[in-house]
């Protein structure tokens, strides 16, 4: 099934490339200007609008003929008989292919991203939250960050630090960063209990994967049930923490409601219900590839047949710890979104290298 899917994608890609070769330079210019205008304004494309805004040297009659030809080639479509045209998925793919080839991002967009992205390299939780928050704030689209490789991370150290209000800080150091959160403990749990729990977890799980930790903590409780009944609550909190960290971090879902594509209740409900499904969202966003874009029916999930998804892996050192992606209408500001994602994931890697060097210099 995977082979057939890949073959279908390759056939579609070749068809698009062959179709693009048939476009004259003038048609390409008209199409690009039309797409950019529609992305910004969501106003159907007309020959008069293209002439007034971009191509004053070409008559409306000539532009009308060119737009008719672009429609016949499948790049534009009319929503109504007497109305203007809008880009198709094929048109957006043409636009994105050119964008990704040149990576021609606007300086103003990159400046905005730099102003908004400020992160302290302290733990995986805050990294994912800051990545999603920054990209969503800059682009005004829903952004999802997913720890797709959490289970493959190697445990380096575990600490449980009791606080004064029947809670404790759980710190799990891994080769991809620190996982931390506050867990609840009973009033009978002592500091010594926390130290002993952490010691046992370290003895059993250091140099093993998070997946092994999640799978085998319960076995540890069962093996030492006579001695560790008081620790059961802490061990179960470890599992709950890791499950919670595995959930996708989302920011800006309601921003979709400001877009004309989701003005109808049905459309809005469909996409919001999809975003509520954690497993579906993870399957769409998780990626090992570099920055990639899927448009319309290129998305395997039917809920995204009218959407665009731009995503990239998040790497810390040599480890791919997760992925980040933006989901929105096909009328997505591809240059802004791709630029935001690329800048943030590249900057994150740079920060890691700087922090790592500081640690090495201390030794």
């Amino acid at each position: 099934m995977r082979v057939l899917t890949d073959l279908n994608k390759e056939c579609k890609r070749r068809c698009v490339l062959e179709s693009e070769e048939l476009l004259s330079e003038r048609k390409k210019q008209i199409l690009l200007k039309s797409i950019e205008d529609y992305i910004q304004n969501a106003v159907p494309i007309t020959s008069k609008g293209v002439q007034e805004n971009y191509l004053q040297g070409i008559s409306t009659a000539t532009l009308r003929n060119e737009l008719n030809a672009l429609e016949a080639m499948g790049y534009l479509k009319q929503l109504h008989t007497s109305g203007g045209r809008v880009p198709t998925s094929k048109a957006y793919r043409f636009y994105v292919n050119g964008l990704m080839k040149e990576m021609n991002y606007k300086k103003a967009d990159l400046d905005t991203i730099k102003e908004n992205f400020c992160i302290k390299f302290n733990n995986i939780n805050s990294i994912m939250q800051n990545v999603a928050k920054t990209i969503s704030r800059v682009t005004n689209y829903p952004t999802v960050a997913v720890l797709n490789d959490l289970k493959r991370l190697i445990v380096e150290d575990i600490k449980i630090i009791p606080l004064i209000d029947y809670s404790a800080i759980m710190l799990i150091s891994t080769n991809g960063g620190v996982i931390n959160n506050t867990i609840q403990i009973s009033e009978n749990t002592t500091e010594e209990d926390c130290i002993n729990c952490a010691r046992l977890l370290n003895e059993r799980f250091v140099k093993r994967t998070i997946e092994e930790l999640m799978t085998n903590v319960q076995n540890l409780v069962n093996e030492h049930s006579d001695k560790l009944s008081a620790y059961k609550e802490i061990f179960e909190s470890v599992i709950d923490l890791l499950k919670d960290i595995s959930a996708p971090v989302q920011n800006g879902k309601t921003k979709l409601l400001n877009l004309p594509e989701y003005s109808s209740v049905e459309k809005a409900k469909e996409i919001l219900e999809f975003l509520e499904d954690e497993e579906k969202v993870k399957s769409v966003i998780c990626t090992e590839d570099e920055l990639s874009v899927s448009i319309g029916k290129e998305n395997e999930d039917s809920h995204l047949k009218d959407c665009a998804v731009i995503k990239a892996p998040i790497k810390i050192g040599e480890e791919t710890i997760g992925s980040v992606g933006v989901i929105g209408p096909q009328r997505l500001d591809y240059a802004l979104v791709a630029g935001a994602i690329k800048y943030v994931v590249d900057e994150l890697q740079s920060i890691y290298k700087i922090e790592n060097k500081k640690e090495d210099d201390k030794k």
Side-chain angles (χ1 to χ4, degrees):
M1 182 63 72
R2 178 58 185 265
V3 174
L4 288 174
T5 302
D6 291 343
L7 284 172
N8 288 334
K9 287 181 179 178
E10 179 62 17
C11 288
K12 288 177 181 178
R13 187 187 69 83
R14 288 182 180 178
C15 288
V16 169
L17 291 176
E18 289 170 2
S19 176
E20 288 178 11
E21 290 174 0
L22 298 176
L23 289 171
S24 65
E25 285 305 312
R26 184 162 70 183
K27 283 186 176 65
K28 287 181 182 179
Q29 186 182 16
I30 292 169
L31 184 56
L32 286 173
K33 294 298 183 185
S34 299
I35 294 169
E36 288 175 354
D37 189 73
Y38 188 72
I39 286 172
Q40 295 302 320
N41 302 308
V43 176
I45 301 155
T46 63
S47 55
K48 184 179 179 182
V50 174
Q51 185 198 48
E52 290 179 351
N53 296 324
Y54 304 106
L55 302 171
Q56 290 87 354
I58 303 176
S59 69
T60 53
T62 300
L63 286 170
R64 195 177 301 114
N65 289 334
E66 293 286 35
L67 292 174
N68 286 336
L70 288 168
E71 183 178 356
M73 296 172 75
Y75 289 101
L76 300 175
K77 64 181 179 181
Q78 277 191 303
L79 297 177
H80 308 287
T81 307
S82 58
R85 299 171 175 85
V86 298
T88 62
S89 298
K90 184 177 179 180
Y92 288 120
R93 173 48 61 192
F94 164 75
Y95 177 74
V96 168
N97 285 349
L99 174 71
M100 301 301 281
K101 196 181 296 180
E102 298 176 10
M103 299 300 275
N104 187 23
Y105 306 127
K106 300 173 187 174
K107 184 180 182 302
D109 290 343
L110 291 180
D111 288 343
T112 303
I113 299 161
K114 290 176 185 177
E115 288 171 8
N116 280 274
F117 188 58
C118 178
I119 187 171
K120 290 184 178 180
F121 204 93
N122 48 7
N123 63 75
I124 293 176
N125 323 44
S126 65
I127 288 171
M128 304 307 279
Q129 289 166 2
N130 274 280
V131 165
K133 183 178 179 180
T134 297
I135 295 173
S136 180
R137 180 187 296 167
V138 170
T139 63
N140 275 319
Y141 296 114
T143 304
V144 183
V146 179
L147 279 165
N148 53 323
D149 278 343
L150 175 66
K151 292 181 179 180
R152 284 164 45 186
L153 296 177
I154 305 298
V155 176
E156 295 178 346
D157 184 50
I158 298 173
K159 288 184 172 65
I160 303 170
I161 304 168
L163 303 175
I164 60 174
D165 57 347
Y166 307 126
S167 64
I169 296 175
M170 173 78 65
L171 296 169
I172 304 176
S173 299
T174 75
N175 61 329
V178 178
I179 300 169
N180 74 347
N181 210 336
T182 301
I183 62 172
Q184 295 302 309
I185 56 176
S186 71
E187 58 183 296
N188 298 320
T189 302
T190 65
E191 182 177 356
E192 186 180 0
D193 290 336
C194 292
I195 292 170
N196 287 335
C197 281
R199 178 178 53 78
L200 285 166
L201 289 169
N202 278 305
E203 287 174 358
R204 182 65 65 92
F205 299 111
V206 165
K207 296 184 179 179
R208 298 176 71 179
T209 65
I210 290 289
E211 183 171 27
E212 290 176 293
L213 171 59
M214 294 177 71
T215 304
N216 294 298
V217 163
Q218 188 58 51
N219 292 340
L220 188 61
V221 176
N222 295 338
E223 287 173 18
H224 302 272
S225 57
D226 54 332
K227 298 177 182 178
L228 302 182
S229 56
Y231 306 160
K232 182 179 180 183
E233 180 183 40
I234 297 178
F235 289 141
E236 288 176 347
S237 294
V238 174
I239 299 301
D240 291 340
L241 167 62
L242 294 173
K243 286 179 179 177
D244 186 54
I245 296 299
S246 299
V249 175
Q250 298 194 35
N251 197 287
K253 283 189 290 189
T254 57
K255 292 179 180 181
L256 285 173
L257 302 178
N258 298 324
L259 301 173
E261 288 86 350
Y262 303 104
S263 57
S264 78
V265 175
E266 291 77 15
K267 281 284 184 183
K269 184 179 178 183
E270 182 179 12
I271 189 65
L272 290 175
E273 283 182 351
F274 171 81
L275 291 171
E276 287 295 323
D277 191 321
E278 291 185 356
E279 290 306 312
K280 284 185 177 180
V281 169
K282 287 176 74 171
S283 69
V284 167
I285 298 300
C286 287
T287 180
E288 294 281 350
D289 301 327
E290 294 307 310
L291 185 72
S292 62
V293 183
S294 54
I295 303 166
K297 292 182 180 178
E298 294 172 2
N299 294 303
E300 293 182 12
D301 194 292
S302 60
H303 293 90
L304 302 177
K305 64 182 183 302
D306 297 318
C307 296
V309 179
I310 304 181
K311 60 187 178 181
I314 298 173
K315 295 183 179 180
I316 296 180
E318 298 301 316
E319 289 294 323
T320 300
I321 67 162
S323 306
V324 61
V326 167
I327 299 174
Q330 292 187 67
R331 187 187 59 84
L332 200 68
D333 191 334
Y334 294 92
L336 173 61
V337 173
I341 290 176
K342 189 173 191 311
Y343 177 85
V344 167
V345 297
D346 287 352
E347 186 68 7
L348 188 61
Q349 187 72 304
S350 298
I351 293 170
Y352 171 77
K353 289 177 181 177
I354 292 169
E355 294 292 325
N356 219 33
K357 187 175 184 306
K358 287 179 182 177
E359 291 298 318
D360 290 341
D361 290 344
K362 290 179 184 177
K363 296 176 181 178

